[in-house]
Amino acid sequence: EAAVTQSPRNKVAVTGGKVTLSCNQTNNHNNMYWYRQDTGHGLRLIHYSYGAGSTEKGDIPDGYKASRPSQENFSLILELATPSQTSVYFCASGEGQGAETLYFGSGTRLTVL
Amino acid sequence: QQKVQQSPESLIVPEGAMTSLNCTFSDSASQYFAWYRQHSGKAPKALMSIFSNGEKEEGRFTIHLNKASLHFSLHIRDSQPSDSALYLCAVSPNSGTYQRFGTGTKLQVVP
């Protein structure tokens, strides 16, 4: 089964600080995705990538940047964290373009104080 | 923007019962339809998916798709307590670039 690893598992940040969430996948999947999960909202797409060097905006990109320096790694960057960004963040990878099984990491619980 | 909605929000069923979960979407040109299951505190995990109208069965799970009705569903036969989880439906648009998720149905199967 596809392996997707996120770090850190938990993070507490201060308002206005910079936060970087990391994701690594070892299955050579082209596509990677960042979602956030909040009660009542399900999973919402923040950014995604088709391969190294590419990033695309999802449905809720404001306040977030993404970086895909290699096939294996995909980062989510909060330059100026706000309390509204307190959430659980999931990274996922997939072989095809959207119409494929997504494999999720275990999530990062981010609290912004 | 495509809307994906699930019903009911939560459901309690007795062990051994048939469970039916629903998902509606707004774009009839959507091409991929999937169900994911998420146990408490865990990552979502893919259950089943379908591309075209009709039905697909895998063990106790059956997925139905009706594009004209903008509706697909998941049916769980002989529901077990281990099926208790959050169920998320996902739809990929015609361009197939990503999957958009519903808000989820929380299922509890009681012995």
Side-chain angles (χ1 to χ4, degrees):
Chain A
E1 186 166 308
V4 180
T5 304
Q6 292 183 233
S7 62
R9 287 299 306 272
N10 294 282
K11 173 75 177 177
V12 178
V14 295
T15 298
K18 182 177 181 178
V19 176
T20 300
L21 307 183
S22 299
C23 180
N24 174 274
Q25 55 102 358
T26 59
N27 293 281
N28 201 33
H29 285 167
N30 289 325
N31 293 355
M32 296 186 76
Y33 307 84
W34 278 106
Y35 289 88
R36 65 179 281 179
Q37 186 173 36
D38 304 285
T39 304
H41 290 280
L43 287 165
R44 291 183 289 172
L45 182 64
I46 307 171
H47 284 287
Y48 58 103
S49 168
Y50 295 131
S54 92
T55 60
E56 304 288 338
K57 293 180 180 179
D59 292 331
I60 54 163
D62 293 347
Y64 302 94
K65 290 184 180 179
S67 174
R68 182 90 180 268
S70 66
Q71 182 80 341
E72 298 78 21
N73 295 297
F74 190 36
S75 297
L76 186 68
I77 302 150
L78 291 67
E79 294 278 5
L80 293 169
T82 68
S84 64
Q85 294 176 313
T86 293
S87 186
V88 179
Y89 292 84
F90 285 99
C91 174
S93 73
E95 293 176 328
Q97 285 196 303
E100 84 267 67
T101 296
L102 296 184
Y103 297 89
F104 285 86
S106 298
T108 293
R109 182 174 295 276
L110 173 65
T111 302
V112 182
L113 301 175
Chain B
Q1 185 183 73
Q2 159 121 257
K3 292 191 186 301
V4 181
Q5 295 181 306
Q6 291 186 239
S7 64
E9 281 189 21
S10 62
L11 189 58
I12 301 174
V13 302
E15 183 175 356
M18 171 74 84
T19 297
S20 296
L21 308 176
N22 300 293
C23 188
T24 60
F25 53 97
S26 57
D27 183 2
S28 60
S30 300
Q31 65 166 280
Y32 179 82
F33 306 86
W35 285 96
Y36 291 77
R37 182 166 72 179
Q38 184 179 24
H39 286 107
S40 183
K42 302 294 186 183
K45 189 171 182 180
L47 265 179
M48 292 184 70
S49 60
I50 194 167
F51 282 93
S52 50
N53 278 338
E55 176 180 303
K56 181 178 175 182
E57 182 178 335
E58 291 179 1
R60 297 186 294 113
F61 298 88
T62 302
I63 189 171
H64 287 270
L65 171 63
N66 184 329
K67 285 190 180 183
S69 299
L70 303 176
H71 176 265
F72 68 112
S73 57
L74 179 71
H75 304 274
I76 307 173
R77 177 172 46 85
D78 187 25
S79 300
Q80 298 297 306
S82 57
D83 294 326
S84 298
L86 180 70
Y87 288 77
L88 296 158
C89 67
V91 178
S92 185
N94 191 34
S95 58
T97 49
Y98 52 79
Q99 290 176 37
R100 186 170 282 130
F101 286 79
T103 53
T105 293
K106 187 173 182 180
L107 171 66
Q108 186 178 356
V109 182
V110 295

